[in-house]
Amino acid sequence: MKILKLRSGGEMPIVGYGTWTASGDVLENALNEALKSGYRHIDTAYLYKNECTIGKVLNEWISSGRVTRDDLFVVTKLPAYATRPEDVEKYLKESLQNLGLNYVDMYLIHSPFGLFAKDQTDLDTMVIDYDTDHLAIWKVMEKQVDCGRTKAIGLSNFNAKQVQKLLDYSRIKPDNLQVEHHIYLQQTELVDFCRDNGIVVTAYSTLGTKDGKKRLNLNWSKGVPEILENEVVLRVASKHGKTPAQIVLRFTIQKGVVVIPKSTNSQRLVENIQIFDFELDAQDVEDLERQDVGDKGRLWWFTIFAGVKDHPEYPFPKEI
Ligand SMILES: NC(=O)c1ccc[n+]([C@@H]2O[C@H](COP(=O)([O-])OP(=O)(O)OC[C@H]3O[C@@H](n4cnc5c(N)ncnc54)[C@H](OP(=O)(O)O)[C@@H]3O)[C@@H](O)[C@H]2O)c1
């Protein structure tokens, strides 16, 4: 497994296991399979409500000696409805308790905009908190590193301008930016910006989040086929004797971007980590790069939160 070195000294495996939408016994079985197949980087979030299941499995693996805590790279996130300085410590402590761990390897601010939630399980009860203050939140994030609750800190769904502000004013720099990233939304400028500033980029929804799309009714504004049914992806897959998922994941890691595909299917999750025994050539890369349609390829506008586009820290263009 290829490892990316973080500025803070940590080592992040370039393929991780995504867990959004997975829970209960299905997740428990799948995570066991994932660990057997070699996944050591696990991506979760307070919001996913699955940290307890993940913690149970990880602790079974640690206590049976199959892995050490040092072998694992665990990422979790501060939820949008806690994007306030006074909430950071409380939510991280709760995540650690859920996970049954003393520390995580990476703690991310899940989104640049803050919300208030009357009911955390009901998106419709969430309203905009217009006073989100990134610098104030970041100071408490830094304190979490000082206290040893997390080894590193980072961001998710922030744009370059928002990241730059934290780079300019922080004592501990963000180590990681997790964003939507796939063949239709390749985010080249943002990825280059992060690379130039020592920030590792993690791609989410690289396979096109089929179950997520259904669950939240997400859609591309440009009429494009599902990523795994894209003609170029299928052609490159047949050329290399690989699956469409392996092609788009390989394309992403060849760019030095971390991938965290989610699968609860024991065959597919194995497939998703077996991407180190082949290489895409310059022509494949060029053909796949041509699939980028910029913001028209964005699935995640977060308009599931009513009024989010009016938040002063809304990270994406309001019109495309
Ligand atoms: N920071 C954020 O705001 C944010 C947002 C979204 C996601 N994430 C993270 O990123 C992870 C990945 O993104 P995602 O869950 O949105 O979507 P994804 O990984 O792009 O796609 C998951 C979907 O692809 C299917 N799939 C998996 N492997 C496959 C394969 N080899 N062939 C065909 N289909 C396959 C899965 O079904 P099966 O399970 O049935 O295989 C599932 O329907 C999440 O789980 C989460 O950890 C973060």
Short mmCIF file of all heavy atoms in Angstrom, two decimals, residues 17-21 43-45 48 77 108 110-111 156-157 178-180 202-212 227-228 243-246 249 260-265 267-269 271-272 300 302, ligand 1:
data_model
loop_
_atom_site.label_atom_id
_atom_site.label_comp_id
_atom_site.label_asym_id
_atom_site.label_seq_id
_atom_site.Cartn_x
_atom_site.Cartn_y
_atom_site.Cartn_z
N TYR A 17 -11.03 3.16 3.54
CA TYR A 17 -12.34 2.52 3.47
C TYR A 17 -13.41 3.54 3.87
O TYR A 17 -13.45 4.01 5.01
CB TYR A 17 -12.35 1.30 4.41
CG TYR A 17 -13.64 0.52 4.39
CD1 TYR A 17 -14.02 -0.15 3.23
CD2 TYR A 17 -14.45 0.46 5.50
CE1 TYR A 17 -15.21 -0.86 3.19
CE2 TYR A 17 -15.65 -0.25 5.47
CZ TYR A 17 -16.02 -0.90 4.31
OH TYR A 17 -17.20 -1.60 4.27
N GLY A 18 -14.27 3.90 2.91
CA GLY A 18 -15.35 4.86 3.17
C GLY A 18 -16.51 4.15 3.84
O GLY A 18 -16.81 2.99 3.54
N THR A 19 -17.19 4.85 4.74
CA THR A 19 -18.24 4.16 5.52
C THR A 19 -19.59 4.88 5.55
O THR A 19 -20.50 4.43 6.24
CB THR A 19 -17.79 3.94 6.98
OG1 THR A 19 -17.65 5.22 7.61
CG2 THR A 19 -16.50 3.17 7.06
N TRP A 20 -19.71 5.99 4.80
CA TRP A 20 -21.00 6.68 4.83
C TRP A 20 -22.09 5.76 4.26
O TRP A 20 -21.82 5.05 3.28
CB TRP A 20 -20.94 7.99 4.01
CG TRP A 20 -22.26 8.68 3.98
CD1 TRP A 20 -23.02 9.05 5.05
CD2 TRP A 20 -22.99 9.05 2.81
NE1 TRP A 20 -24.19 9.64 4.61
CE2 TRP A 20 -24.20 9.66 3.25
CE3 TRP A 20 -22.75 8.94 1.44
CZ2 TRP A 20 -25.15 10.15 2.36
CZ3 TRP A 20 -23.70 9.43 0.56
CH2 TRP A 20 -24.89 10.03 1.02
N THR A 21 -23.26 5.78 4.84
CA THR A 21 -24.44 4.96 4.53
C THR A 21 -24.35 3.53 5.08
O THR A 21 -25.32 2.78 5.01
CB THR A 21 -24.80 4.86 3.01
OG1 THR A 21 -23.85 4.03 2.36
CG2 THR A 21 -24.94 6.20 2.34
N ASP A 43 -12.43 5.80 7.04
CA ASP A 43 -13.02 7.14 7.04
C ASP A 43 -14.43 7.09 7.62
O ASP A 43 -15.30 6.39 7.10
CB ASP A 43 -13.08 7.69 5.61
CG ASP A 43 -13.62 9.12 5.61
OD1 ASP A 43 -12.83 10.03 5.92
OD2 ASP A 43 -14.82 9.33 5.36
N THR A 44 -14.64 7.84 8.70
CA THR A 44 -15.99 7.94 9.24
C THR A 44 -16.26 9.40 9.60
O THR A 44 -15.50 10.30 9.25
CB THR A 44 -16.19 6.98 10.44
OG1 THR A 44 -17.54 7.09 10.91
CG2 THR A 44 -15.25 7.28 11.59
N ALA A 45 -17.38 9.64 10.27
CA ALA A 45 -17.76 10.99 10.70
C ALA A 45 -18.79 10.83 11.81
O ALA A 45 -19.54 9.85 11.81
CB ALA A 45 -18.35 11.78 9.53
N TYR A 48 -22.18 10.19 10.48
CA TYR A 48 -22.56 8.91 9.87
C TYR A 48 -23.22 7.96 10.88
O TYR A 48 -23.77 6.93 10.48
CB TYR A 48 -21.35 8.19 9.24
CG TYR A 48 -20.61 8.97 8.18
CD1 TYR A 48 -19.36 8.54 7.73
CD2 TYR A 48 -21.12 10.13 7.62
CE1 TYR A 48 -18.66 9.24 6.77
CE2 TYR A 48 -20.42 10.85 6.68
CZ TYR A 48 -19.18 10.41 6.25
OH TYR A 48 -18.47 11.10 5.30
N LYS A 77 -14.92 13.28 11.79
CA LYS A 77 -15.18 14.68 11.42
C LYS A 77 -16.13 15.38 12.39
O LYS A 77 -17.07 14.75 12.90
CB LYS A 77 -15.78 14.74 10.00
CG LYS A 77 -15.06 13.85 9.00
CD LYS A 77 -15.60 13.96 7.59
CE LYS A 77 -15.01 12.88 6.68
NZ LYS A 77 -15.77 11.64 6.60
N LEU A 108 -11.29 16.17 10.98
CA LEU A 108 -11.62 17.15 9.95
C LEU A 108 -12.82 17.99 10.36
O LEU A 108 -13.75 17.48 10.98
CB LEU A 108 -11.97 16.43 8.63
CG LEU A 108 -10.95 15.47 8.03
CD1 LEU A 108 -11.51 14.83 6.76
CD2 LEU A 108 -9.64 16.19 7.72
N HIS A 110 -16.03 19.05 9.05
CA HIS A 110 -16.77 18.38 7.96
C HIS A 110 -17.21 19.35 6.87
O HIS A 110 -17.24 19.01 5.69
CB HIS A 110 -17.98 17.65 8.54
CG HIS A 110 -18.45 16.49 7.73
ND1 HIS A 110 -18.96 15.36 8.29
CD2 HIS A 110 -18.48 16.29 6.40
CE1 HIS A 110 -19.30 14.50 7.33
NE2 HIS A 110 -19.01 15.04 6.17
N SER A 111 -17.58 20.57 7.28
CA SER A 111 -18.01 21.53 6.26
C SER A 111 -17.69 22.94 6.73
O SER A 111 -17.65 23.21 7.93
CB SER A 111 -19.52 21.40 6.00
OG SER A 111 -20.21 21.95 7.10
N SER A 156 -12.78 19.64 5.30
CA SER A 156 -13.54 18.97 4.25
C SER A 156 -14.51 19.97 3.64
O SER A 156 -15.14 20.75 4.38
CB SER A 156 -14.29 17.77 4.84
OG SER A 156 -15.00 17.12 3.82
N ASN A 157 -14.60 19.94 2.32
CA ASN A 157 -15.54 20.79 1.58
C ASN A 157 -15.19 22.28 1.65
O ASN A 157 -16.04 23.12 1.34
CB ASN A 157 -16.98 20.54 2.05
CG ASN A 157 -17.40 19.11 1.83
OD1 ASN A 157 -17.31 18.60 0.72
ND2 ASN A 157 -17.83 18.43 2.88
N GLN A 178 -10.53 17.03 2.38
CA GLN A 178 -11.35 15.97 1.78
C GLN A 178 -12.47 16.63 0.99
O GLN A 178 -13.25 17.40 1.54
CB GLN A 178 -11.93 15.08 2.89
CG GLN A 178 -12.70 13.91 2.33
CD GLN A 178 -13.22 12.94 3.38
OE1 GLN A 178 -14.42 12.65 3.42
NE2 GLN A 178 -12.35 12.40 4.22
N VAL A 179 -12.52 16.33 -0.32
CA VAL A 179 -13.51 16.97 -1.19
C VAL A 179 -14.08 15.96 -2.19
O VAL A 179 -13.48 14.92 -2.45
CB VAL A 179 -12.89 18.14 -2.01
CG1 VAL A 179 -12.60 19.33 -1.12
CG2 VAL A 179 -11.65 17.71 -2.77
N GLU A 180 -15.23 16.33 -2.75
CA GLU A 180 -15.79 15.53 -3.85
C GLU A 180 -14.78 15.57 -5.00
O GLU A 180 -14.28 16.64 -5.37
CB GLU A 180 -17.13 16.11 -4.31
CG GLU A 180 -17.74 15.33 -5.45
CD GLU A 180 -19.09 15.89 -5.91
OE1 GLU A 180 -19.66 16.76 -5.21
OE2 GLU A 180 -19.55 15.46 -6.99
N THR A 202 -7.93 14.22 -0.16
CA THR A 202 -8.68 12.97 -0.19
C THR A 202 -9.91 13.18 -1.07
O THR A 202 -10.62 14.18 -0.92
CB THR A 202 -9.15 12.56 1.23
OG1 THR A 202 -8.01 12.41 2.06
CG2 THR A 202 -9.92 11.24 1.19
N ALA A 203 -10.14 12.22 -1.97
CA ALA A 203 -11.29 12.29 -2.88
C ALA A 203 -12.45 11.51 -2.29
O ALA A 203 -12.26 10.38 -1.84
CB ALA A 203 -10.91 11.66 -4.21
N TYR A 204 -13.64 12.10 -2.31
CA TYR A 204 -14.82 11.31 -1.95
C TYR A 204 -15.79 11.22 -3.12
O TYR A 204 -15.70 12.02 -4.06
CB TYR A 204 -15.48 11.80 -0.65
CG TYR A 204 -16.26 13.11 -0.68
CD1 TYR A 204 -17.47 13.25 -1.35
CD2 TYR A 204 -15.80 14.21 0.05
CE1 TYR A 204 -18.19 14.43 -1.34
CE2 TYR A 204 -16.51 15.41 0.08
CZ TYR A 204 -17.71 15.51 -0.62
OH TYR A 204 -18.42 16.68 -0.60
N SER A 205 -16.66 10.22 -3.06
CA SER A 205 -17.63 9.93 -4.12
C SER A 205 -16.96 9.67 -5.47
O SER A 205 -17.53 9.96 -6.53
CB SER A 205 -18.70 11.03 -4.22
OG SER A 205 -19.41 11.16 -3.00
N THR A 206 -15.77 9.10 -5.44
CA THR A 206 -14.99 8.82 -6.65
C THR A 206 -15.69 7.82 -7.58
O THR A 206 -15.51 7.86 -8.79
CB THR A 206 -13.61 8.26 -6.24
OG1 THR A 206 -13.07 9.17 -5.28
CG2 THR A 206 -12.66 8.15 -7.41
N LEU A 207 -16.49 6.93 -6.99
CA LEU A 207 -17.20 5.94 -7.81
C LEU A 207 -18.58 6.44 -8.25
O LEU A 207 -19.30 5.75 -8.94
CB LEU A 207 -17.37 4.62 -7.03
CG LEU A 207 -16.08 4.00 -6.47
CD1 LEU A 207 -16.41 2.77 -5.65
CD2 LEU A 207 -15.13 3.64 -7.61
N GLY A 208 -18.94 7.64 -7.77
CA GLY A 208 -20.23 8.21 -8.16
C GLY A 208 -21.33 8.00 -7.14
O GLY A 208 -22.50 8.25 -7.44
N THR A 209 -20.97 7.54 -5.94
CA THR A 209 -21.88 7.44 -4.78
C THR A 209 -23.30 6.99 -5.16
O THR A 209 -24.29 7.66 -4.83
CB THR A 209 -21.86 8.77 -3.95
OG1 THR A 209 -22.58 8.55 -2.73
CG2 THR A 209 -22.40 10.00 -4.67
N LYS A 210 -23.38 5.83 -5.79
CA LYS A 210 -24.67 5.36 -6.30
C LYS A 210 -25.74 5.31 -5.19
O LYS A 210 -26.85 5.81 -5.36
CB LYS A 210 -24.50 3.98 -6.94
CG LYS A 210 -25.54 3.69 -7.98
CD LYS A 210 -25.15 2.49 -8.81
CE LYS A 210 -26.17 2.30 -9.92
NZ LYS A 210 -25.87 1.16 -10.76
N ASP A 211 -25.38 4.73 -4.04
CA ASP A 211 -26.38 4.65 -2.97
C ASP A 211 -26.65 6.03 -2.35
O ASP A 211 -27.77 6.36 -2.00
CB ASP A 211 -26.00 3.60 -1.90
CG ASP A 211 -24.58 3.73 -1.38
OD1 ASP A 211 -23.86 4.65 -1.82
OD2 ASP A 211 -24.20 2.91 -0.52
N GLY A 212 -25.57 6.84 -2.26
CA GLY A 212 -25.72 8.19 -1.73
C GLY A 212 -26.61 9.05 -2.61
O GLY A 212 -27.47 9.81 -2.13
N ILE A 227 -20.65 7.21 -13.46
CA ILE A 227 -19.19 7.14 -13.64
C ILE A 227 -18.75 5.74 -14.09
O ILE A 227 -17.94 5.59 -15.01
CB ILE A 227 -18.48 7.55 -12.33
CG1 ILE A 227 -18.66 9.06 -12.12
CG2 ILE A 227 -17.00 7.15 -12.35
CD1 ILE A 227 -18.21 9.58 -10.78
N LEU A 228 -19.34 4.72 -13.47
CA LEU A 228 -18.89 3.36 -13.76
C LEU A 228 -19.49 2.83 -15.07
O LEU A 228 -19.23 1.70 -15.47
CB LEU A 228 -19.19 2.42 -12.59
CG LEU A 228 -18.57 2.87 -11.25
CD1 LEU A 228 -18.85 1.84 -10.16
CD2 LEU A 228 -17.07 3.10 -11.37
N THR A 243 -11.73 -3.62 -13.66
CA THR A 243 -13.12 -3.17 -13.59
C THR A 243 -13.16 -1.64 -13.70
O THR A 243 -12.15 -0.95 -13.44
CB THR A 243 -13.76 -3.59 -12.25
OG1 THR A 243 -13.12 -2.86 -11.21
CG2 THR A 243 -13.63 -5.09 -12.01
N PRO A 244 -14.33 -1.09 -14.06
CA PRO A 244 -14.46 0.38 -14.12
C PRO A 244 -14.07 1.05 -12.80
O PRO A 244 -13.40 2.09 -12.79
CB PRO A 244 -15.94 0.57 -14.43
CG PRO A 244 -16.36 -0.69 -15.13
CD PRO A 244 -15.54 -1.79 -14.53
N ALA A 245 -14.45 0.44 -11.68
CA ALA A 245 -14.11 1.05 -10.38
C ALA A 245 -12.59 1.11 -10.21
O ALA A 245 -12.04 2.12 -9.77
CB ALA A 245 -14.75 0.23 -9.25
N GLN A 246 -11.91 0.03 -10.59
CA GLN A 246 -10.45 0.02 -10.45
C GLN A 246 -9.81 1.11 -11.31
O GLN A 246 -8.81 1.71 -10.92
CB GLN A 246 -9.90 -1.37 -10.82
CG GLN A 246 -10.24 -2.41 -9.75
CD GLN A 246 -9.87 -3.82 -10.17
OE1 GLN A 246 -10.06 -4.22 -11.32
NE2 GLN A 246 -9.32 -4.58 -9.24
N LEU A 249 -10.39 4.61 -9.66
CA LEU A 249 -9.62 4.71 -8.41
C LEU A 249 -8.13 4.84 -8.74
O LEU A 249 -7.42 5.67 -8.16
CB LEU A 249 -9.88 3.50 -7.51
CG LEU A 249 -11.32 3.41 -6.96
CD1 LEU A 249 -11.57 2.05 -6.30
CD2 LEU A 249 -11.61 4.53 -5.96
N ILE A 260 -11.21 6.90 -0.92
CA ILE A 260 -11.87 6.21 0.20
C ILE A 260 -13.18 5.58 -0.28
O ILE A 260 -14.26 5.93 0.20
CB ILE A 260 -12.11 7.19 1.39
CG1 ILE A 260 -12.72 8.53 0.90
CG2 ILE A 260 -10.84 7.44 2.16
CD1 ILE A 260 -13.18 9.45 2.04
N PRO A 261 -13.10 4.66 -1.27
CA PRO A 261 -14.34 4.07 -1.79
C PRO A 261 -15.12 3.36 -0.70
O PRO A 261 -14.53 2.72 0.17
CB PRO A 261 -13.82 3.06 -2.82
CG PRO A 261 -12.42 2.73 -2.38
CD PRO A 261 -11.89 4.00 -1.80
N LYS A 262 -16.44 3.47 -0.79
CA LYS A 262 -17.31 2.76 0.15
C LYS A 262 -17.90 1.54 -0.54
O LYS A 262 -18.49 1.65 -1.62
CB LYS A 262 -18.44 3.68 0.64
CG LYS A 262 -19.48 2.98 1.51
CD LYS A 262 -20.69 2.54 0.70
CE LYS A 262 -21.57 1.55 1.42
NZ LYS A 262 -22.60 0.98 0.53
N SER A 263 -17.74 0.38 0.09
CA SER A 263 -18.49 -0.78 -0.36
C SER A 263 -18.75 -1.69 0.83
O SER A 263 -17.85 -1.90 1.65
CB SER A 263 -17.75 -1.55 -1.45
OG SER A 263 -18.56 -2.66 -1.83
N THR A 264 -19.96 -2.21 0.90
CA THR A 264 -20.23 -3.21 1.94
C THR A 264 -20.33 -4.60 1.30
O THR A 264 -20.74 -5.55 1.94
CB THR A 264 -21.54 -2.87 2.70
OG1 THR A 264 -22.52 -2.46 1.77
CG2 THR A 264 -21.30 -1.77 3.72
N ASN A 265 -19.94 -4.68 0.02
CA ASN A 265 -19.95 -5.95 -0.69
C ASN A 265 -18.54 -6.54 -0.63
O ASN A 265 -17.57 -5.87 -1.00
CB ASN A 265 -20.38 -5.70 -2.14
CG ASN A 265 -20.27 -6.94 -2.99
OD1 ASN A 265 -19.18 -7.35 -3.37
ND2 ASN A 265 -21.40 -7.55 -3.28
N GLN A 267 -16.84 -8.67 -2.31
CA GLN A 267 -16.01 -8.74 -3.53
C GLN A 267 -15.60 -7.36 -4.00
O GLN A 267 -14.45 -7.12 -4.36
CB GLN A 267 -16.77 -9.43 -4.65
CG GLN A 267 -16.55 -10.93 -4.66
CD GLN A 267 -17.80 -11.68 -5.02
OE1 GLN A 267 -18.61 -11.23 -5.83
NE2 GLN A 267 -17.97 -12.85 -4.42
N ARG A 268 -16.57 -6.45 -3.97
CA ARG A 268 -16.24 -5.10 -4.48
C ARG A 268 -15.22 -4.38 -3.59
O ARG A 268 -14.37 -3.66 -4.09
CB ARG A 268 -17.53 -4.28 -4.63
CG ARG A 268 -18.41 -4.79 -5.77
CD ARG A 268 -19.49 -3.82 -6.14
NE ARG A 268 -20.58 -3.77 -5.20
CZ ARG A 268 -21.66 -4.55 -5.24
NH1 ARG A 268 -21.79 -5.46 -6.18
NH2 ARG A 268 -22.62 -4.43 -4.33
N LEU A 269 -15.31 -4.58 -2.29
CA LEU A 269 -14.35 -3.87 -1.44
C LEU A 269 -12.93 -4.39 -1.64
O LEU A 269 -11.96 -3.64 -1.53
CB LEU A 269 -14.80 -3.85 0.04
CG LEU A 269 -14.85 -5.12 0.87
CD1 LEU A 269 -13.51 -5.48 1.47
CD2 LEU A 269 -15.87 -4.94 1.99
N GLU A 271 -11.88 -5.63 -4.58
CA GLU A 271 -11.57 -5.07 -5.91
C GLU A 271 -11.03 -3.63 -5.77
O GLU A 271 -10.06 -3.25 -6.43
CB GLU A 271 -12.89 -5.08 -6.69
CG GLU A 271 -12.88 -4.52 -8.06
CD GLU A 271 -14.34 -4.52 -8.60
OE1 GLU A 271 -15.07 -5.52 -8.44
OE2 GLU A 271 -14.73 -3.50 -9.19
N ASN A 272 -11.65 -2.87 -4.90
CA ASN A 272 -11.31 -1.45 -4.78
C ASN A 272 -9.92 -1.17 -4.21
O ASN A 272 -9.39 -0.08 -4.36
CB ASN A 272 -12.36 -0.73 -3.92
CG ASN A 272 -13.72 -0.71 -4.57
OD1 ASN A 272 -13.85 -0.96 -5.76
ND2 ASN A 272 -14.76 -0.43 -3.78
N TRP A 300 -22.44 17.26 -4.95
CA TRP A 300 -22.66 17.70 -3.57
C TRP A 300 -22.69 19.21 -3.49
O TRP A 300 -21.66 19.86 -3.36
CB TRP A 300 -21.54 17.16 -2.67
CG TRP A 300 -21.64 15.71 -2.40
CD1 TRP A 300 -21.10 14.69 -3.12
CD2 TRP A 300 -22.33 15.09 -1.30
NE1 TRP A 300 -21.40 13.48 -2.55
CE2 TRP A 300 -22.15 13.69 -1.43
CE3 TRP A 300 -23.07 15.57 -0.22
CZ2 TRP A 300 -22.69 12.79 -0.53
CZ3 TRP A 300 -23.60 14.68 0.68
CH2 TRP A 300 -23.40 13.29 0.51
N PHE A 302 -24.90 20.48 -1.17
CA PHE A 302 -25.39 20.59 0.22
C PHE A 302 -26.68 21.38 0.35
O PHE A 302 -26.99 21.92 1.40
CB PHE A 302 -24.28 21.15 1.14
CG PHE A 302 -23.12 20.21 1.24
CD1 PHE A 302 -21.98 20.36 0.46
CD2 PHE A 302 -23.19 19.09 2.07
CE1 PHE A 302 -20.94 19.46 0.51
CE2 PHE A 302 -22.15 18.17 2.14
CZ PHE A 302 -21.02 18.36 1.36
N1 LIG B 1 -16.55 14.75 3.56
C1 LIG B 1 -17.73 14.62 3.00
O1 LIG B 1 -18.56 15.56 2.98
C2 LIG B 1 -18.09 13.30 2.36
C3 LIG B 1 -19.19 13.22 1.50
C4 LIG B 1 -19.46 11.98 0.91
C5 LIG B 1 -18.67 10.89 1.18
N2 LIG B 1 -17.61 10.99 2.05
C6 LIG B 1 -16.76 9.81 2.37
O2 LIG B 1 -16.30 9.24 1.15
C7 LIG B 1 -16.69 7.87 1.09
C8 LIG B 1 -16.91 7.44 -0.35
O3 LIG B 1 -17.89 8.22 -1.00
P1 LIG B 1 -19.38 7.76 -1.23
O4 LIG B 1 -19.78 6.76 -0.18
O5 LIG B 1 -20.18 8.99 -1.38
O6 LIG B 1 -19.40 7.06 -2.62
P2 LIG B 1 -18.50 6.11 -3.54
O7 LIG B 1 -17.46 5.44 -2.76
O8 LIG B 1 -18.16 6.92 -4.72
O9 LIG B 1 -19.58 5.05 -4.04
C9 LIG B 1 -20.19 4.12 -3.21
C10 LIG B 1 -21.19 3.35 -4.07
O10 LIG B 1 -20.48 2.59 -5.07
C11 LIG B 1 -20.81 1.21 -4.94
N3 LIG B 1 -19.55 0.48 -5.20
C12 LIG B 1 -18.48 0.35 -4.40
N4 LIG B 1 -17.49 -0.33 -4.99
C13 LIG B 1 -17.95 -0.68 -6.21
C14 LIG B 1 -17.40 -1.41 -7.28
N5 LIG B 1 -16.17 -1.90 -7.22
N6 LIG B 1 -18.16 -1.57 -8.41
C15 LIG B 1 -19.42 -1.07 -8.49
N7 LIG B 1 -20.00 -0.36 -7.48
C16 LIG B 1 -19.27 -0.17 -6.35
C17 LIG B 1 -21.29 1.03 -3.52
O11 LIG B 1 -22.18 -0.04 -3.42
P3 LIG B 1 -21.86 -1.36 -2.55
O12 LIG B 1 -21.60 -0.92 -1.14
O13 LIG B 1 -23.09 -2.17 -2.70
O14 LIG B 1 -20.65 -2.00 -3.18
C18 LIG B 1 -22.02 2.35 -3.30
O15 LIG B 1 -23.30 2.32 -3.89
C19 LIG B 1 -17.94 7.82 1.98
O16 LIG B 1 -18.31 6.54 2.33
C20 LIG B 1 -17.49 8.70 3.13
O17 LIG B 1 -16.63 7.98 3.98
C21 LIG B 1 -17.31 12.19 2.62
#
